[in-house]
Amino acid sequence: GKEFVAQTARLLSALAMKSALESVALKACMVLPALILQKPFKHSRSRENLACVTRRMALWKAGDIVALLHEGRSIQRLLPPTSTRSVQSGEDAARRGFTRQMLLGNVAGALRCLSQSANG
């Protein structure tokens, strides 16, 4: 936890102070959370997550970005694919609900349908 914040602060200060890392500091700062903070699997415990973060921070400090990328890709490969059909059906349901509420003259209900679909 603290090492992660320290690394992020180091990268941002390198960007602000126009150091030698300036050209890659912002990119590294944006990539660092995705590489370091990803859970190893869906139902992992906090102890396992902490062990992974510690190990990944050691890899980051050692400059082994390739190993971090490989681990991230393997975790992503194990995730179930997202279904675009379920997203589309949710949008269709929101559209039907909005239309139904407007036809009934219930503007507040129609706006509620829009806000619920926007929030997910």
Side-chain angles (χ1 to χ4, degrees):
K2 291 180 183 179
E3 287 183 43
F4 174 78
V5 173
Q7 285 295 319
T8 304
R10 184 180 70 87
L11 290 170
L12 290 175
S13 68
L15 180 67
M17 300 296 177
K18 299 189 185 292
S19 73
L21 289 175
E22 180 187 14
S23 62
V24 296
L26 186 60
K27 291 176 189 171
C29 192
M30 298 305 292
V31 168
L32 185 64
L35 291 176
I36 304 298
L37 300 179
Q38 188 172 27
K39 291 171 65 170
F41 46 91
K42 185 176 180 179
H43 297 291
S44 60
R45 299 188 185 272
S46 61
R47 184 180 304 155
E48 296 162 336
N49 294 340
L50 181 62
C52 284
V53 168
T54 305
R55 184 178 47 75
R56 291 175 188 153
M57 282 305 300
L59 288 173
W60 177 269
K61 285 183 175 181
D64 198 358
I65 307 299
V66 175
L68 287 170
L69 286 172
H70 178 69
E71 183 178 357
R73 284 187 186 125
S74 64
I75 291 171
Q76 291 293 317
R77 202 174 303 121
L78 294 176
L79 294 175
T82 58
S83 172
T84 57
R85 179 168 290 193
S86 65
V87 172
Q88 288 174 347
S89 67
E91 291 172 356
D92 289 341
R95 189 178 3 235
R96 286 190 306 268
F98 174 79
T99 304
R100 183 178 56 250
Q101 294 298 325
M102 286 302 289
L103 289 174
L104 293 173
N106 186 0
V107 176
L111 291 175
R112 195 171 24 252
C113 287
L114 288 177
S115 66
Q116 286 174 353
S117 68
N119 292 336

